[in-house]
Amino acid sequence: MESQNLDLLKYTLSVGADPNVKGEFGTPILFTTRNYEQTALLLQYGAKVDARNTTQPFHNYTTVPDKMLLHIAAKQDNLKLVNLLLSYGASRKSIDYFGKMPHEYAGPKTKKILQF
């Protein structure tokens, strides 16, 4: 199933789909990927690496905090994804809704690479 999803994503991007499209609550498609390969493909087609998941109404009037994918990858301690995002120019100095930078969320694998 994952390879079918990747093939479908690859096809839609190759025929001109916008890699920066946002969902109903302002969430960029980059935040909805399920694996490294989908994220890499979107970035190859021009997805904005520093796109923000903006604070918008979400399920029963709660909010989704303003974050960038690098913050999430750091919190997951996902070294492979952090390296990918940095290779596409993600900012180590980006600040999220809580005033934190990615290295403040980083686990043991990603802490060193995210410090500046």
Side-chain angles (χ1 to χ4, degrees):
M1 186 67 154
E2 286 296 319
S3 66
Q4 290 175 333
N5 290 340
L6 186 61
D7 290 341
L8 181 59
L9 179 60
K10 193 178 294 183
Y11 173 74
T12 58
L13 291 168
S14 73
V15 296
D18 182 0
N20 294 297
V21 69
K22 293 184 177 187
E24 183 179 358
F25 298 106
T27 302
I29 192 172
L30 197 58
F31 283 81
T32 66
T33 60
R34 298 288 177 239
N35 59 45
Y36 176 89
E37 289 77 18
Q38 290 176 350
T39 302
L41 186 62
L42 284 165
L43 291 168
Q44 288 169 15
Y45 275 87
K48 295 176 184 170
V49 71
D50 282 333
R52 290 184 176 275
N53 186 15
T54 56
T55 304
Q56 294 290 330
F58 191 74
H59 301 297
N60 300 328
Y61 305 105
T62 60
T63 59
V64 176
D66 176 20
K67 288 200 181 302
M68 293 177 170
L69 199 53
L70 188 58
H71 289 83
I72 295 168
K75 190 169 187 173
Q76 294 173 347
D77 205 25
N78 187 332
L79 184 60
K80 186 176 180 181
L81 185 55
V82 165
N83 280 323
L84 175 70
L85 297 170
L86 291 173
S87 75
Y88 276 90
S91 174
R92 287 178 174 88
K93 296 181 180 182
S94 59
I95 297 174
D96 71 2
Y97 178 81
F98 300 106
K100 292 188 174 187
M101 292 184 202
H103 75 272
E104 295 177 86
Y105 292 106
K109 293 183 216 168
T110 55
K111 190 86 163 171
K112 188 174 183 179
I113 194 170
L114 288 171
Q115 297 205 345
F116 47 91

